[in-house]
Amino acid sequence: MASVFNEMPTSSTLRSKWLWFVGLGLLLLICGLIALGNLLVATVASVFYVGMLMLAGGIIYLIHAFQVRSWDHVLFWALSGVLYVLAGICAFINPILTSAILTLFLAIALLVAGIFRLFVGMRMRPLKGWGWIVTSGIITTLAGFVIALGWPVNSLWILGLFLAIDLIVQGWTMVAFGLGIRS
């Protein structure tokens, strides 16, 4: 694993590829703007992506189930695999229901993460910069609360919005990086 980090590309190698970074960034920006233009389609696309991952994970679980030795372990891994496969199939059969479930999980995760950050930030109070952690916790908790308040109606667009924002941020990052290594 250490050899991967030791073999980082040199700045001259990256500099010769600056245009590729800018091109990738522009492509990501375009995709992000398209997703922003139709959040429902972007939500369905993200649900299908999660569904494909769950199907693949379920198949891997099922294959793994028959590699273990004892029957009780086979049953556990096979049941896990079947549940993953069923969840993946559900994502394709009913993406709107799946988006509602994923949006609810997102709201809960943001609430829990935000409250945890608030707790950690308050415990770090004597240290410099603790306020940033508390601020991050407040913002994350508020985001989870707002999503939970709008659920299930906002599940038609919230996952698409997150996807669009991620694509736009990654696009700007790649463009800035490409232009940065050019000079």
Side-chain angles (χ1 to χ4, degrees):
M1 181 71 113
S3 65
V4 171
F5 293 111
N6 293 336
E7 297 174 13
M8 295 294 282
T10 62
S11 61
S12 61
T13 306
L14 287 177
R15 190 173 293 126
S16 67
K17 307 288 186 205
W18 73 272
L19 193 58
W20 285 100
F21 286 102
V22 172
L24 174 62
L26 291 174
L27 181 64
L28 288 171
L29 276 170
I30 291 167
C31 290
L33 292 173
I34 290 170
L36 198 59
N38 194 341
L39 295 176
L40 178 62
V41 171
T43 295
V44 171
S46 63
V47 167
F48 284 167
Y49 178 73
V50 170
M52 286 188 298
L53 292 176
M54 294 191 83
L55 276 172
I59 291 168
I60 291 169
Y61 266 121
L62 288 170
I63 292 169
H64 175 71
F66 297 102
Q67 304 300 318
V68 295
R69 299 283 184 237
S70 63
W71 177 249
D72 56 333
H73 291 160
V74 169
L75 187 61
F76 169 76
W77 291 109
L79 182 60
S80 297
V82 167
L83 289 175
Y84 265 81
V85 167
L86 289 175
I89 291 170
C90 179
F92 288 102
I93 291 175
N94 195 342
I96 302 302
L97 173 64
T98 306
S99 72
I101 293 167
L102 290 174
T103 301
L104 182 61
F105 285 157
L106 175 65
I108 292 168
L110 289 172
L111 284 167
V112 170
I115 291 168
F116 181 74
R117 284 186 198 147
L118 280 168
F119 175 75
V120 168
M122 296 306 282
R123 299 261 330 214
M124 298 176 71
R125 197 171 194 168
L127 300 174
K128 187 174 183 174
W130 68 274
W132 288 107
I133 297 171
V134 169
T135 303
S136 169
I138 290 170
I139 291 170
T140 303
T141 303
L142 284 174
F145 188 66
V146 167
I147 291 170
L149 280 178
W151 188 82
V153 175
N154 62 2
S155 61
L156 295 174
W157 57 269
I158 202 77
L159 298 175
L161 179 64
F162 275 50
L163 176 64
I165 290 170
D166 183 59
L167 288 168
I168 290 169
V169 168
Q170 289 301 314
W172 278 117
T173 302
M174 289 295 127
V175 168
F177 181 72
L179 294 175
I181 61 174
R182 184 185 100 184
S183 55

